[in-house]
Amino acid sequence: MTKTIAEKIWDSHIVASLGNTEVLLYIDLHLLHEINTPQAFDGLREKGVNVHRPDRTLSTEDHNTPTSSVIDIDKDSSTWTQIKLLRENCQEYGLEHKKLGELGQGITHVIAPEQGRVLPGSTLVCCDSHTTTHGAFGALAFGIGTSQVEHVLATQTLRAIPFNTMRVNVTGAYNEGVDAKDLALFIINEIGTGGGQGCVIEYTGEAVSQLSMEQRMTLCNMTVEAGASAGIISPDQTTVSYLKEKLAERNVTISDADTTKWLTYATDMDAVFDKYVEIDAAKVPKMISWGTNPSQVIPVVGKVPYVDPLDCASKQIAATQALKYMGLKEGDDLSSHPITNVFIGSCTNGRIEDMRAVAAVLKEHKVHKDVHMLIVPGSMKVHEQVIKEGIDKVFLNAGADFRGLAGCSLCVGLNSDKLSAGKRTVSTSNRNFEGRQGVGVRTHITSPVVAAASAIKGHIASPQCLEN
């Protein structure tokens, strides 16, 4: 019987059948952060249960943490309490934990891949919806809830029912400057924020194979914004090369047998999917959101769409509300609205390739006088590499605010980096719903290069605008 990669991983990790379609699934790697985990440890304590596989758990601080200075970590008592509890719980149960500012600390979905922890054919969970990121390595990775965190800690397994499957096949070649963020937003616009509901979306085609590992992570990261449970890409030589490099940095040697096994986790040629979507890479432009969900996007050079009277009532209402919240009108050119802020970072676009792309745009330019440009590395390793390559000097010379600590920062309004009402920001993060970056903040999500160009111009702009 032919299978998809997701089905192969699922079947190879079943510990027991629980009746009907529910199974007990073995989990290879469990990632933790400070949000939603204290209750799980309380549950273990109440039941007198230990963590079953401490060696299969990696913890970090990212959501609540400041990005300016370590001494600011306890300024907000509520957020500090969560961080402090995570530290204490990890120490009590013998779990590997990365503290703010340590080399190895950073956003959960940045540090695990860069340390070579995510392997093809593995299962991975985290109490975070953007766990889908790790599917870039041919891993079955998805978010779970607090009660499930407790279950995984106690048993290294998870009660689960099978997902449906969807294939998004991307053919052809991209236009110059188009990247995985543009592709992700284009796909979400095509299928909607509920188009992948209940599915593992597998990305295939030559245009996916062309992507670097970091670009693949961006694509899989955004999969949850289409309503899917997971995103996945079958491993290839690009995957193998990346992992060999990262594992060598940890003095881990990979044998030919290991890589051969990794490559067996690939979708069979005639495997059947529940849904199919075809995308022509040549038709994907540079994209940016105009509304309050990731499907409400247009080409950077496009105009705000008119509310379609042929759309269903819910779509019309959502579009009308989005226009009001964003302070836009139908037919508006987004470039006619000045911006106040630009954010570079997050688990979507906070990696070294993103930093290099932004630096290439900023070089020999200045950030607009009315714009605050915040750049936050996704990990301390990314921060270290930025300095090593001299990229930090490009940022500083341009007038950007490059932070010395890694974290989720402005992507999620849970820390000191949130903005005030009325601000209009261009962001490389993954969500743009009302209040995501602060109450009353208007967020446009896009790629790193468009965000950088917009910071220079003072309004939404494509890098090509800088050449004219």
Side-chain angles (χ1 to χ4, degrees):
M1 178 181 176
T2 58
K3 297 179 180 180
T4 67
I5 178 177
E7 291 167 338
K8 289 181 179 181
I9 298 171
W10 183 275
D11 290 348
S12 68
H13 284 72
I14 293 176
V15 175
S17 175
L18 302 178
N20 294 324
T21 59
E22 188 178 26
V23 301
L24 199 61
L25 202 67
Y26 184 76
I27 302 302
D28 291 304
L29 182 61
H30 188 192
L31 303 177
L32 301 176
H33 56 71
E34 70 272 23
I35 306 295
N36 301 327
T37 52
Q39 303 95 316
F41 286 103
D42 286 344
L44 293 182
R45 234 173 255 111
E46 290 169 6
K47 297 176 179 69
V49 175
N50 288 321
V51 175
H52 185 62
R53 290 292 302 269
D55 59 318
R56 295 281 183 170
T57 308
L58 175 64
S59 172
T60 191
E61 304 164 4
D62 58 7
H63 281 63
N64 286 341
T65 52
T67 58
S68 51
S69 172
V70 173
I71 63 174
D72 293 334
I73 197 167
D74 60 354
K75 282 191 174 179
D76 185 315
S77 60
S78 60
T79 57
W80 166 239
T81 296
Q82 289 182 313
I83 296 168
K84 184 170 175 286
L85 283 173
L86 181 61
R87 292 181 179 183
E88 292 172 352
N89 286 325
C90 287
Q91 183 174 11
E92 178 181 347
Y93 287 96
L95 306 180
E96 182 178 359
H97 178 70
K98 304 297 183 182
K99 292 182 179 180
L100 180 65
E102 292 180 348
L103 187 60
Q105 178 267 336
I107 303 173
T108 310
H109 310 310
V110 177
I111 66 168
E114 72 181 13
Q115 293 174 21
R117 309 253 188 166
V118 187
L119 303 179
S122 65
T123 53
L124 185 155
V125 295
C126 176
C127 193
D128 188 280
S129 59
H130 292 104
T131 306
T132 55
T133 305
H134 309 282
F137 293 86
L140 184 58
F142 51 94
I144 59 175
T146 302
S147 62
Q148 293 171 305
V149 170
E150 181 185 340
H151 192 281
V152 176
L153 287 171
T155 69
Q156 205 58 35
T157 64
L158 182 71
R159 297 177 69 111
I161 57 174
F163 303 111
N164 290 325
T165 57
M166 175 189 287
R167 178 184 178 185
V168 175
N169 190 48
V170 190
T171 58
Y174 303 102
N175 292 309
E176 184 180 355
V178 170
D179 67 10
K181 185 64 163 291
D182 300 309
L183 175 61
L185 292 174
F186 186 86
I187 292 170
I188 297 166
N189 178 254
E190 287 285 306
I191 69 175
T193 54
Q197 189 169 3
C199 293
V200 175
I201 296 180
E202 180 173 352
Y203 299 100
T204 65
E206 60 266 32
V208 174
S209 299
Q210 293 169 21
L211 299 174
S212 69
M213 286 310 302
E214 294 197 359
Q215 289 280 298
R216 295 180 192 188
M217 283 184 255
T218 295
L219 178 59
C220 287
N221 173 277
M222 293 291 292
T223 304
V224 70
E225 309 308 333
S229 300
I232 198 165
I233 299 171
S234 290
D236 56 15
Q237 287 303 321
T238 300
T239 319
V240 171
S241 297
Y242 180 95
L243 286 171
K244 281 186 173 180
E245 177 186 338
K246 299 304 178 185
L247 288 167
E249 291 172 3
R250 292 174 53 208
N251 297 315
V252 177
T253 303
I254 296 302
S255 67
D256 290 340
D258 291 325
T259 59
T260 299
K261 182 180 179 181
W262 291 346
L263 295 174
T264 63
Y265 285 99
T267 292
D268 296 327
M269 289 292 291
D270 49 355
V272 177
F273 293 81
D274 296 303
K275 297 180 181 180
Y276 294 85
V277 176
E278 292 289 330
I279 301 290
D280 181 355
K283 294 182 179 179
V284 179
K286 292 186 180 68
M287 304 290 288
I288 192 163
S289 69
W290 62 266
T292 53
N293 75 60
S295 74
Q296 294 175 327
V297 294
I298 55 175
V300 173
V301 295
K303 295 183 182 297
V304 176
Y306 286 80
V307 178
D308 190 345
L310 298 179
D311 274 342
C312 64
S314 61
K315 276 193 173 182
Q316 291 184 52
I317 292 170
T320 302
Q321 290 178 337
L323 287 170
K324 182 179 179 181
Y325 180 82
M326 295 298 291
L328 301 172
K329 295 179 181 178
E330 296 169 308
D332 270 0
D333 184 338
L334 286 181
S335 67
S336 67
H337 294 268
I339 62 172
T340 59
N341 297 80
V342 167
F343 171 60
I344 306 292
S346 81
C347 61
T348 313
N349 287 119
R351 299 178 179 83
I352 189 61
E353 287 182 7
D354 302 309
M355 300 294 153
R356 291 169 182 156
V358 169
V361 176
L362 288 181
K363 194 172 184 179
E364 299 180 4
H365 290 284
K366 295 288 185 182
V367 173
H368 192 278
K369 62 181 179 62
D370 296 326
V371 175
H372 177 247
M373 185 181 195
L374 177 64
I375 305 176
V376 179
S379 72
M380 291 309 297
K381 184 175 181 180
V382 171
H383 180 270
E384 180 183 62
Q385 189 64 27
V386 164
I387 293 174
K388 182 178 180 181
E389 296 182 20
I391 294 173
D392 60 319
K393 293 183 176 61
V394 176
F395 294 160
L396 297 174
N397 289 338
D401 180 1
F402 176 57
R403 295 295 170 88
L405 295 174
C408 297
S409 184
L410 195 53
C411 173
V412 56
L414 296 174
N415 52 68
S416 56
D417 289 341
K418 56 178 156 296
L419 301 175
S420 57
K423 299 291 186 181
R424 185 178 297 278
T425 179
V426 175
S427 178
T428 65
S429 51
N430 40 57
R431 288 183 177 155
N432 56 325
F433 55 72
E434 294 184 20
R436 173 71 174 182
Q437 295 184 305
V439 177
V441 176
R442 295 161 171 166
T443 301
H444 298 275
I445 52 176
T446 191
S447 67
V449 295
V450 171
S454 301
I456 295 166
K457 298 294 287 186
H459 58 76
I460 291 169
S462 169
Q464 279 67 38
C465 294
L466 304 177
E467 301 170 6
N468 298 331

